[in-house]
Amino acid sequence: MKKKFLVIVDETKELEKAVYFAAKRAIATEGELLLLYIVDPAINAQWARIENLIEQEATSEAKKLCRMWSQKIKSQFNIESEMIIKIGDRADELLKLVEEDQSIRFLVLASSENSEDPGPLIKVLTGKKIKNLNIPLVLIPGSLSEKDIDLII
């Protein structure tokens, strides 16, 4: 069973660095790359039908974004990536997936380059929820360039 490097897909700029690191490590270790997008559940919609439509639209956008990243990874690194879309609380869904899929060996996240705030998922996973994470969490500083990352791969 190949080890998987898990990257959380979102609309942030730092995702590029997390993908770069994870793809390079996957290549170096003959591992695989797993892209996870977690859609926020529709809340406060007055009717279930509206909630469902909101979640369907968000899921469709998530699939487009994951496909775009998957194609980018294929063209830049010549490796395939697996895509998973979930709906729910980001930290909870992430922890459930890691628990279910024993081949996931590393979670790769990148911090923001220009902010003192590392991001909500990093805060949660390095805070109260760290005890629930049973794999290494790799944090890529936003200040690292691709050349810097290449030196540590």
Side-chain angles (χ1 to χ4, degrees), residues 117-142:
D117 181 4
L121 192 55
I122 292 174
K123 276 199 264 187
V124 169
L125 291 175
T126 57
K128 292 185 266 180
K129 301 249 180 184
I130 191 76
K131 67 183 181 302
N132 302 102
L133 189 62
N134 61 3
I135 59 171
L137 171 59
V138 180
L139 290 177
I140 308 304

Side-chain angles (χ1 to χ4, degrees), residues 18-150:
V19 166
Y20 188 86
F21 178 88
K24 288 288 202 161
R25 287 298 301 150
I27 292 166
T29 62
E30 298 181 8
E32 295 178 347
L33 193 55
L34 177 59
L35 304 176
L36 172 64
Y37 192 108
I38 303 168
V39 175
D40 292 324
I43 48 176
N44 296 330
Q46 292 185 356
W47 297 284
R49 190 171 184 183
I50 293 173
E51 274 186 26
N52 194 3
L53 286 172
I54 292 168
E55 288 176 354
Q56 283 178 356
E57 188 174 312
T59 299
S60 176
E61 291 301 313
K63 286 178 183 175
K64 284 180 195 173
L65 187 60
C66 283
R67 276 194 295 271
M68 187 267 308
W69 275 103
S70 186
Q71 290 167 352
K72 197 174 193 177
I73 290 164
K74 178 68 175 166
S75 69
Q76 186 174 356
F77 302 102
N78 198 31
I79 60 171
E80 298 293 330
S81 54
E82 181 183 347
M83 298 180 294
I84 296 178
I85 311 288
K86 300 254 184 199
I87 298 174
D89 176 80
R90 283 182 164 208
D92 291 342
E93 291 300 322
L94 165 66
L95 292 169
K96 276 191 243 175
L97 178 64
V98 168
E99 186 68 32
E100 293 166 4
D101 187 343
Q102 298 298 308
S103 63
I104 298 173
R105 301 292 171 80
F106 298 93
L107 170 59
V108 182
L109 300 173
S111 66
S112 176
E113 181 175 2
N114 299 320
S115 172
E116 291 182 20
D117 181 4
L121 192 55
I122 292 174
K123 276 199 264 187
V124 169
L125 291 175
T126 57
K128 292 185 266 180
K129 301 249 180 184
I130 191 76
K131 67 183 181 302
N132 302 102
L133 189 62
N134 61 3
I135 59 171
L137 171 59
V138 180
L139 290 177
I140 308 304
S143 59
L144 288 183
S145 68
E146 288 181 358
K147 287 182 182 180
D148 294 331
I149 293 170
D150 287 338

